[in-house]
Amino acid sequence: MRSNFRTNIRLATNILLVIVTFAIALKITPIAKVYQEKNLCIKYLKHQIDRDELIKRLRIVKQANPSSICESILNTNT
């Protein structure tokens, strides 16, 4: 009976680890998106990517001013 109890504890522990891992991943995803946008803006301001690439990757309208959008993205606190 004792060995069966230990197996159940290990199984429960593994299930909890999987659940916690997915919870952490879901919590980190929006933060990663913000940093990706910031990195894109920094590359745009350093002229490493062009305007069209920035518009496509940020999914903004072509009439928008990318410089002002990048300023607002870079000024937000995370």
Side-chain angles (χ1 to χ4, degrees):
M1 181 159 172
R2 188 169 180 89
S3 63
N4 191 18
F5 178 74
R6 286 183 181 171
T7 306
N8 289 341
I9 292 295
R10 285 187 190 140
L11 180 62
T13 304
N14 288 340
I15 290 171
L16 283 174
L17 284 173
V18 169
I19 291 170
V20 169
T21 302
F22 279 106
I24 291 171
L26 290 174
K27 191 162 181 82
I28 290 176
T29 301
I31 297 170
K33 185 178 179 191
V34 169
Y35 279 108
Q36 285 175 345
E37 290 175 351
K38 285 186 178 191
N39 285 336
L40 280 173
C41 286
I42 290 169
K43 285 182 180 181
Y44 173 73
L45 294 174
K46 288 183 174 182
H47 305 291
Q48 293 175 350
I49 60 172
D50 62 347
R51 181 179 186 271
D52 293 332
E53 180 71 18
L54 180 73
I55 288 172
K56 183 175 83 172
R57 289 172 113 187
L58 289 180
R59 295 184 183 115
I60 55 177
V61 293
K62 289 203 180 232
Q63 291 81 14
N65 185 2
S67 296
S68 63
I69 291 173
C70 280
E71 282 184 33
S72 65
I73 289 174
L74 292 174
N75 287 335
T76 57
N77 295 330
T78 357

